[in-house]
């Protein structure tokens, strides 16, 4: 398969599409660009009809809110009030655009903690999975109404990369008013060359975001934030497409060969995720497994509470724990779906007893097989 934007979009299974405010909001009327949204909804529906899962990261809450409340000032609380009003208008516009295709939109508002703290990240991930499993199109934005500077992603390019990582997407499409990365600013330099494919984000490439291309793209994110987002996505095994959204149906245009920059990812999202579990987390506890559980894990199953003979360590939900067998030999590592105190209470129990023991219905497994890396024997 040739590595280009069209084939990347064609081959992707789970796609995050980030849409900047300038595409969604008419600068004069300060209302949603209905024609563009209608065409985008058709593009998304076409992807869905081909069995792809799509997540939209949509900017526009602040711009729409200001359109409705033009007297708002520039203080933080004014911006947050604008976001409050604008976000519901944004969702209404998305719901109306998707409805004719039989698609339901689901609002997902994130703050940085939701992707940076593992416990919250597991919760957010479970919600996004549930939405996708029910055929909903998640429409993600930053929770601008409560997010202040210290706790913000700051721009939706980064937010979209984190959403791609959270959802284990294999493609992130950043749609804005630039059709990719150039060796120099194409508006000023006739020799500027467009880069269709970037296979590694070398310091030279990253520097292009800070120099000639720094002011490319209106809105919060210029090229530097796009490359930073691509770097986050790449480390999560997700490729990035930087493409222009300044045409109706930009996703169809990419499939038809429109100019874009593809930043490839060497590993798939699952492999990258497993490397992250195995390589960058220090275990906060240990679970001793009975022989039946060890055999089940090696056969590709998840770890059930029933298979845990003993546990130690003050781990939290989402922390990495070490797995050992009854003789103390290493079996692997994984992310716990319950904190140590809860794990101690459900240990040895059947999964259908969890609710009665804890008083709520949580995960039916203690560690999901996707969240686990076994040692080679
Ligand atoms: N979250 C902001 C909004 O919806 C946009 C931030 C950005 O586009 O980078 O208005």
């Amino acid at each position: 398969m040739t590595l280009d934007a069209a084939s990347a979009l064609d081959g992707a299974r789970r796609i995050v599409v980030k849409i900047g405010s300038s595409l969604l909001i008419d600068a004069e009327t300060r209302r949603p660009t209905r024609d563009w949204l209608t065409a985008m909804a058709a593009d998304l529906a076409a992807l869905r009809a081909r069995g792809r899962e799509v997540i939209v990261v949509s900017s526009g809450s602040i711009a729409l809110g200001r359109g409705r409340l033009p007297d708002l000032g520039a203080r933080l609380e004014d911006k947050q009030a604008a976001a409050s009003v604008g976000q519901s208008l944004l969702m209404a516009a998305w719901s109306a655009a998707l409805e004719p295709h039989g698609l339901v939109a689901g609002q997902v508002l994130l703050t940085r903690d939701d992707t940076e703290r593992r416990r919250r990240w597991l919760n957010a991930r479970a919600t996004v999975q549930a939405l996708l499993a029910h055929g909903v199109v998640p429409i993600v934005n930053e929770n601008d109404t409560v997010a202040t500077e210290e706790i913000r992603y700051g721009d939706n390019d980064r937010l979209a990369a984190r959403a791609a990582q959270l959802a284990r997407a294999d493609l992130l499409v950043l749609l804005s008013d630039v059709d990719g990365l150039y060796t120099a600013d194409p508006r000023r330099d006739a020799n500027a060359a467009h880069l269709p494919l970037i296979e590694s984000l070398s310091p030279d490439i990253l520097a292009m975001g800070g120099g000639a291309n720094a002011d490319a793209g209106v809105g919060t994110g210029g090229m530097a934030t796009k490359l930073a987002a691509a770097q986050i996505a790449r480390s999560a095994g997700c490729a990035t497409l930087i493409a222009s959204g300044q045409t109706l149906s930009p996703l169809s245009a990419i499939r038809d060969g429109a100019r874009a920059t593809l930043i490839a990812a060497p590993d798939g999202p699952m492999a990258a995720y497993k490397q992250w579990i195995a390589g960058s987390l220090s275990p906060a506890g240990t679970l001793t497994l009975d022989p039946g559980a060890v055999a089940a894990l090696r056969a590709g199953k998840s770890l059930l509470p029933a298979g845990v003979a003993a546990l130690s360590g003050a781990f939290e939900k989402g922390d990495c724990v070490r797995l050992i067998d009854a003789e103390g030999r290493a079996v692997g590592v994984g992310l716990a779906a319950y904190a140590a105190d809860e794990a101690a209470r459900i240990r040895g129990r059947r999964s259908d007893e969890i609710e009665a023991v804890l008083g709520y219905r949580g995960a039916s497994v203690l560690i999901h097989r996707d969240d686990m890396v076994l040692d080679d024997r």
Side-chain angles (χ1 to χ4, degrees), residues 58-146:
S58 174
S59 302
S61 69
I62 298 176
L64 278 178
R66 285 197 183 283
R68 194 56 69 90
L69 302 175
D71 298 339
L72 281 175
R75 295 170 310 170
L76 176 64
E77 54 268 42
D78 293 327
K79 217 158 119 183
Q80 295 186 312
S84 164
V85 170
Q87 181 62 31
S88 61
L89 298 172
L90 189 60
M91 282 311 296
W94 275 112
S95 293
L98 290 168
E99 201 190 302
H101 301 281
L103 293 175
V104 176
Q107 170 175 269
V108 179
L109 295 181
L110 298 175
T111 52
R112 211 173 58 195
D113 270 1
D114 293 312
T115 53
E116 305 316 88
R117 288 180 184 261
R118 222 152 339 112
R119 185 200 170 94
R120 296 183 54 160
W121 168 84
L122 285 181
N123 289 337
R125 187 178 81 184
T127 308
V128 170
Q129 301 278 29
L131 288 169
L132 291 174
H134 286 85
V136 174
V137 180
I139 310 284
V140 181
N141 196 1
E142 178 148 25
N143 193 350
D144 293 308
T145 295
V146 296

Side-chain angles (χ1 to χ4, degrees), residues 204-229:
D204 286 358
I205 297 283
L206 290 172
M208 287 179 191
N213 294 287
D215 61 353
V218 294
T220 323
M223 192 50 79
T225 69
K226 290 187 174 38
L227 291 176

Side-chain angles (χ1 to χ4, degrees), residues 176-260:
S176 69
D177 51 3
V178 279
D179 61 3
L181 186 64
Y182 289 79
T183 51
D185 185 339
R187 291 164 302 186
R188 287 179 209 138
D189 185 342
N191 294 322
H194 178 262
L195 300 170
L197 173 67
I198 294 173
E199 294 202 68
S200 86
L201 283 170
S202 61
D204 286 358
I205 297 283
L206 290 172
M208 287 179 191
N213 294 287
D215 61 353
V218 294
T220 323
M223 192 50 79
T225 69
K226 290 187 174 38
L227 291 176
Q231 207 170 17
I232 294 170
R234 191 169 192 277
S235 67
C238 175
T240 299
L241 264 179
I242 299 176
S244 169
Q246 287 183 314
T247 153
L248 288 183
S249 310
L251 299 177
S252 301
I254 294 168
R255 287 190 69 203
D256 292 343
R259 182 179 270 199

Side-chain angles (χ1 to χ4, degrees), residues 3-14:
L3 216 46
D4 62 26
S7 55
L9 185 57
D10 226 29
R13 188 186 44 84
R14 186 173 283 180

